[in-house]
Amino acid sequence: MGEGSVAVQALLLLAIVLLPVLEGRHSSKAGRAVGLPLRLTGTGLTVWAARSLGRNLTPLPEPLPHATLVEAGAYRFARHPIYGGLLLMALGWSADRSSRRALLLTGALGALFEAKAQREERRISARFPAYGAYQKRVQKFLPGVY
């Protein structure tokens, strides 16, 4: 699931962006009102989380050999904030373009992130004994949501 999950993730994100364009869907005032804040929040969360990880950042669901357990920055509030941020961006784009198909693909992306996070958490737990306590106190993707 390592490199394959990253490839599927990239394809899903690309399809979420391109599908509404290919369908000829344009932003509406209502769609933008919902979608833009979601996209901006998701982008901010993703960037903050990537910066919080620093040299620990990897697209693969396995910690790097030199990795340390990060519980600061965005990781104080979510165990996988990059996944949460990407989901918010995809949801915002789907809403902005009023695309049901993009929304369905966003659901598939969420399922992929869930599977990827489960695999990642098994590996992180094996490497960092303190991860179990962190898992109990911090939500998975978005604080207050999931």
Side-chain angles (χ1 to χ4, degrees), residues 4-6 41 48 56 67 71 108 110 117 120 124 127 135 139 141:
S5 67
V6 174
T41 301
W48 181 31
N56 295 303
E71 297 181 51
E120 190 173 348
I124 293 171
R127 180 111 171 258
Q135 252 180 321
Q139 289 188 294
F141 293 149

Side-chain angles (χ1 to χ4, degrees), residues 2 12 15 19 23 29-30 36 40 42 44 51 60 63 67 79 86 91 99 101 109 111 118 122:
L12 281 170
L19 185 62
E23 293 175 329
K29 195 172 193 177
L36 183 60
L40 291 174
R51 290 184 61 117
L60 301 176
R79 300 190 311 268
L86 290 171
L91 184 60
S99 174
R101 289 181 179 152
L109 181 65
Q118 286 177 11
R122 283 192 299 274

Side-chain angles (χ1 to χ4, degrees), residues 19-42:
L19 185 62
V21 174
L22 295 173
E23 293 175 329
R25 299 225 170 248
H26 300 284
S27 293
S28 66
K29 195 172 193 177
R32 239 184 340 272
V34 172
L36 183 60
L38 287 170
R39 288 195 335 260
L40 291 174
T41 301

